[in-house]
Amino acid sequence: MKTILITILICLSCVLLVGQDKMKSADKSFFNLHYVKAAKQYEAFLNKGNESKELLQRVGDAYYYNTDMENAVKWYGQLFSKYENSLDPKYVFRYIHALQGVGNNRLAKGLMKIYPSIQNTAEFKVEQLQDNDAKLDAILAQQPQFYISNLSINTVFADFGTAFYKDKIVFASSRDSMNLHTRLYEWNQQPYLDFFMADTISLGDDLVEVNSFSDIINTKYHEGIAAFIPEGNVMYFTRNNYTDKTLERDDDGMNHLKLYKSKLQGGEWTKPEEVAFNSKNYSVGQPALSPDGKHLYFVSDMPGSIGETDIFVIQILKDGSYSQPKNLGPTINTSGREMFPFITEEKIYFASDGHLGLGGLDIFESSYDNGFSAPINLGKPVNSNKDDFAYTVNEATRKGYFSSNRDNGKGDDDIYSFTRLAQKCEQYVKGTVVRKANAIPVSDVIVNLVLDKTIIATTTTDAYGAFSFTEILECELVYELQISKTGFYSDKKAFTTTDEADFINMVPLEMKKERNKLIVEENGVLKIKIDNIYFDLNKADIRPDAAQELNKIVEVMKEYPKMVIKIEAHTDSRGSDQYNEKLSDRRAKSTGNYIISQGIESIRIKSAIGYGEKQTLNRCINGVKCSNEEHNTNRRSEFIIVEIE
């Protein structure tokens, strides 16, 4: 029933204004929003074998707009099976919602996953037309935050849309307040909507003493969704475009919704006046006021809308005039329907079928501080596979009301009270461990989760270097991850949990492999230390015994793929200086060439230079008599590490 208050404005795009003669009566019923009648007329043609795309679309829409999701699934299913490759994305969107409405999440998720890959949905951007398996499962599995109760004042008719008014609640209902037979609205064969007022009881979980709100405000057409300034003496509300006992229509014959304003004077509400930004060509409705009464939020399909219906805001200026309407933007509004806003000091609550949900309209919350945060689905039990909307809350008491047409209610739409439980803030942690040198994952790493220097859980990384803990973490605490594995340096990393419930902390970690034992440090210089290599007298050829040692250099350099070295060859002081320098240089270059021949890139050898007897390690210089052992100390090849990681 609540969709009367806004779906009026989206139906023009669904109607084929010019049809076959036999369809004119059904099209007229549909165009006039007489969906119960239109559905039966369309089905009569379908039963005669007419299964055109247009007819299947319209019969599906007739049931969809009247929230008869079982029949909507039936006809949208036939539409999809026959015309899958030529459908407008909005019909897949509606089919998904109808499937969720009957609890068929498996097929709904399948469509979410495959449809964007076979159709261009760039012009119809809603969350349902994406691969959302994990996200939807997370919504279904999230921790319940609410205790809810169906109110005793609900009737078999539509009751919905609560507003705080002093110490009372004002809501819309199609109940017959005069206990007489009244005119029925052809949309769904229920009486028209009026405002009613009820008293709250001490615990705030139910309403009592229902009375008609005001004979001045209520008319023979629809009134629904009100908002009051904090003082309670000014109200804004939604009504059909109705003036002087006449419904006004646009050029296509459509009666849109408008916002009206009334003041309380002498205990009576004044004759309602339109707000300045109404139009006969589009709908404006569902008002919500900021707590300070300075900003008015509303729903419209006015020019500048992103989707079927968007939420807008205007500033109420000191002289009572209004700023230009401003669209809340794509963080809040989608290609679908955003409706029923409610504003508190720090958050906006609204209903949407464009953000990922459980079916029909779902209720979302978004924080705002110099901009809106990504909307969060409130999950079960507030949201269901049917329409859930019109959320209002007293943030101080965490109590409020919402409306729903879910199964097992008392009527069309029912009002539910709720208490929002103080949600326990719980988080988790997962991450990966890779080698710092090359970002290659490290498996079988022991990962300890530590709090206050105490290990509270231990796990190991898998083949992809990934780890996760099932242990629940408390919010806003400092934890530490400690990692260790044989052959690697142990390490640790601290992280602080946030204040966001069900948040998963992603912590990447790096490990350094322990240095190969052949890598040593001498006087602050890193070197690869092998046994001395020997050459035949006066030669620079690599002998087999030298190759065996040089192969150790090759293995170390393969272990460290970013390592760069320089080679230095030295002789003792025996022989002439010039001869020794040339011989050592040939030997250095021969050594480098051998290493390159074993698969090491040439750029990783920065230089290969012979220094002859210029850098002796002891006293054995020219003219000093030394033993063979002392001279051998100076005969050496050195492999100095320039870069290692």
Side-chain angles (χ1 to χ4, degrees):
M1 185 70 176
K2 79 276 144 195
T3 48
I4 294 165
L5 294 175
I6 209 68
T7 313
I8 287 172
L9 55 84
I10 66 172
C11 294
L12 289 175
S13 63
C14 310
V15 182
L16 186 66
L17 296 179
V18 180
Q20 300 173 358
D21 291 341
K22 294 181 180 181
M23 295 289 244
K24 284 184 178 180
S25 178
D27 288 343
K28 182 178 179 181
S29 297
F30 191 99
F31 180 71
N32 289 323
L33 314 182
H34 301 168
Y35 291 129
V36 174
K37 182 178 180 180
K40 294 184 181 300
Q41 290 174 305
Y42 287 138
E43 283 189 331
F45 289 104
L46 286 161
N47 291 335
K48 293 179 182 179
N50 183 346
E51 294 186 345
S52 69
K53 181 168 70 172
E54 292 75 13
L55 182 56
L56 288 170
Q57 287 175 170
R58 277 177 276 160
V59 70
D61 286 343
Y63 283 116
Y64 182 82
Y65 288 130
N66 209 32
T67 63
D68 183 345
M69 294 306 179
E70 291 184 359
N71 279 306
V73 164
K74 173 183 175 181
W75 295 115
Y76 283 153
Q78 290 192 31
L79 173 69
F80 191 81
S81 65
K82 290 179 177 294
Y83 303 103
E84 175 183 352
N85 294 325
S86 62
L87 283 181
D88 189 301
K90 67 185 177 185
Y91 279 99
V92 182
F93 167 72
R94 291 173 190 165
Y95 186 29
I96 288 170
H97 265 276
L99 287 166
Q100 290 180 306
V102 298
N104 192 344
N105 284 312
R106 182 175 182 181
L107 181 54
K109 288 198 294 184
L111 289 176
M112 292 177 197
K113 186 172 184 177
I114 66 172
Y115 195 75
S117 66
I118 61 175
Q119 289 278 340
N120 179 13
T121 59
E123 298 302 316
F124 197 80
K125 295 180 180 178
V126 292
E127 283 285 314
Q128 283 83 352
L129 298 186
Q130 297 177 14
D131 183 357
N132 280 306
D133 285 10
K135 291 181 181 178
L136 183 56
D137 287 340
I139 294 172
L140 290 166
Q142 71 186 46
Q143 176 184 341
Q145 303 178 52
F146 298 86
Y147 173 80
I148 69 172
S149 179
N150 191 301
L151 299 187
S152 63
I153 64 162
N154 287 317
T155 66
V156 295
F157 298 105
D159 304 284
F160 68 94
T162 52
F164 294 113
Y165 172 54
K166 299 181 179 180
D167 60 346
K168 300 182 185 298
I169 293 295
V170 173
F171 64 97
S173 177
S174 59
R175 68 184 67 197
D176 183 358
S177 62
M178 301 300 293
N179 294 316
L180 297 173
H181 179 71
T182 59
R183 298 179 313 115
L184 297 181
Y185 186 47
E186 288 292 339
W187 179 305
N188 56 5
Q189 297 296 300
Q190 287 202 22
Y192 281 71
L193 293 165
D194 281 331
F195 284 125
F196 292 83
M197 184 167 59
D199 292 329
T200 59
I201 60 176
S202 58
L203 294 179
D205 294 329
D206 206 352
L207 299 175
V208 295
E209 300 295 330
V210 176
N211 292 290
S212 179
F213 177 68
S214 168
D215 292 338
I216 295 174
I217 301 299
N218 290 334
T219 67
K220 64 179 181 179
Y221 293 105
H222 287 303
E223 286 80 30
I225 306 299
F228 299 85
I229 67 170
E231 295 78 14
N233 59 354
V234 177
M235 71 177 293
Y236 295 86
F237 67 95
T238 311
R239 178 194 280 171
N240 290 113
N241 184 359
Y242 172 73
T243 57
D244 298 324
K245 301 182 181 180
T246 302
L247 282 176
E248 295 187 5
R249 302 179 184 274
D250 64 16
D251 295 338
D252 294 318
M254 176 62 70
N255 172 253
H256 291 284
L257 301 174
K258 286 189 174 182
L259 267 184
Y260 293 83
K261 176 182 177 181
S262 180
K263 298 179 181 180
L264 186 64
Q265 294 179 351
E268 294 289 341
W269 291 98
T270 60
K271 181 181 178 181
E273 298 178 353
E274 290 188 37
V275 297
F277 47 90
N278 281 335
S279 171
K280 73 172 187 177
N281 296 315
Y282 52 80
S283 287
V284 176
Q286 299 180 0
L289 284 160
S290 60
D292 60 8
K294 295 181 179 180
H295 291 84
L296 176 64
Y297 294 75
F298 61 92
V299 175
S300 180
D301 64 335
M302 65 173 55
S305 296
I306 294 172
E308 294 184 349
T309 61
D310 285 4
I311 301 174
F312 291 78
V313 63
I314 57 100
Q315 184 178 359
I316 303 173
L317 304 177
K318 291 182 179 180
D319 62 0
S321 62
Y322 308 103
S323 67
Q324 288 296 314
K326 179 182 178 182
N327 191 298
L328 294 195
T331 300
I332 299 297
N333 294 317
T334 69
S335 296
R337 297 178 295 171
E338 278 64 52
M339 307 166 70
F340 301 97
F342 181 77
I343 313 298
T344 66
E345 292 286 354
E346 296 180 353
K347 293 183 179 180
I348 179 172
Y349 298 90
F350 63 96
S352 172
D353 63 7
H355 294 282
L356 183 64
L358 305 181
L361 294 169
D362 272 22
I363 298 169
F364 295 81
E365 67 177 355
S366 171
S367 300
Y368 60 92
D369 181 13
N370 297 321
F372 291 100
S373 65
I376 297 173
N377 189 300
L378 293 186
K380 293 182 177 181
V382 164
N383 288 323
S384 67
N385 61 342
K386 297 296 175 66
D387 286 328
D388 308 290
F389 57 99
Y391 181 100
T392 57
V393 63
N394 181 328
E395 298 280 28
T397 63
R398 304 177 68 86
K399 292 179 179 291
Y401 306 90
F402 72 95
S403 305
S404 178
N405 67 345
R406 65 187 58 195
D407 296 335
N408 301 316
K410 294 180 181 179
D412 183 292
D413 295 315
D414 283 357
I415 300 171
Y416 292 78
S417 66
F418 69 81
T419 300
R420 190 167 190 176
L421 307 176
Q423 189 177 15
K424 186 176 181 181
C425 192
E426 298 177 345
Q427 297 189 5
Y428 300 88
V429 61
K430 60 173 58 176
T432 54
V433 180
V434 299
R435 278 193 64 182
K436 187 173 182 179
N438 49 27
I440 294 175
V442 185
S443 62
D444 300 318
V445 177
I446 298 172
V447 186
N448 293 325
L449 178 61
V450 179
L451 177 64
D452 294 332
K453 299 182 180 180
T454 301
I455 296 175
I456 59 176
T458 299
T459 188
T460 56
T461 58
D462 62 17
Y464 304 97
F467 67 89
S468 62
F469 288 93
T470 58
E471 281 68 23
I472 296 172
L473 280 58
E474 294 184 44
C475 293
E476 299 183 281
L477 287 180
V478 178
Y479 289 83
E480 185 177 81
L481 293 172
Q482 299 175 347
I483 52 176
S484 60
K485 181 180 180 178
T486 301
F488 288 81
Y489 291 111
S490 298
D491 204 354
K492 59 186 178 181
K493 186 174 185 178
F495 67 96
T496 303
T497 53
T498 67
D499 60 355
E500 182 181 346
D502 297 320
F503 181 77
I504 298 177
N505 297 272
M506 302 297 298
V507 183
L509 295 160
E510 295 178 328
M511 296 191 82
K512 282 186 176 181
K513 194 165 185 180
E514 289 183 352
R515 285 178 182 165
N516 190 294
K517 294 180 179 179
L518 295 179
I519 298 175
V520 299
E521 185 174 337
E522 293 181 349
N523 298 320
V525 177
L526 286 180
K527 300 178 180 180
I528 304 175
K529 200 73 171 178
I530 59 175
D531 290 340
N532 211 353
I533 59 174
Y534 295 99
F535 297 86
D536 290 334
L537 184 66
N538 297 327
K539 292 186 177 181
D541 300 329
I542 303 298
R543 301 187 336 193
D545 58 334
Q548 187 173 354
E549 290 300 312
L550 290 177
N551 286 340
K552 297 178 182 178
I553 302 292
V554 172
E555 290 304 313
V556 172
M557 294 189 73
K558 287 182 177 180
E559 183 180 349
Y560 296 86
K562 294 184 179 181
M563 179 182 284
V564 177
I565 65 171
K566 61 180 180 179
I567 302 170
E568 295 182 353
H570 304 273
T571 67
D572 58 36
S573 60
R574 291 175 291 188
S576 72
D577 292 357
Q578 185 178 12
Y579 172 79
N580 286 336
E581 185 172 348
K582 289 182 178 181
L583 178 62
S584 65
D585 195 64
R586 294 202 326 268
R587 289 175 174 177
K589 288 176 171 51
S590 178
T591 300
N593 289 335
Y594 177 82
I595 293 173
I596 292 170
S597 73
Q598 301 304 301
I600 301 300
E601 298 162 290
S602 60
I603 59 173
R604 296 178 61 193
I605 299 178
K606 185 176 182 179
S607 61
I609 300 173
Y611 292 90
E613 57 187 88
K614 292 179 180 179
Q615 298 179 12
T616 56
L617 298 176
N618 53 27
R619 64 185 182 86
C620 300
I621 61 176
N622 289 336
V624 177
K625 187 176 181 180
C626 294
S627 66
N628 283 336
E629 184 177 349
E630 288 176 309
H631 280 300
N632 287 340
T633 300
N634 294 320
R635 296 172 58 198
R636 67 197 188 279
S637 292
E638 293 189 322
F639 303 89
I640 299 170
I641 299 172
V642 178
E643 298 177 21
I644 188 168
E645 287 183 345

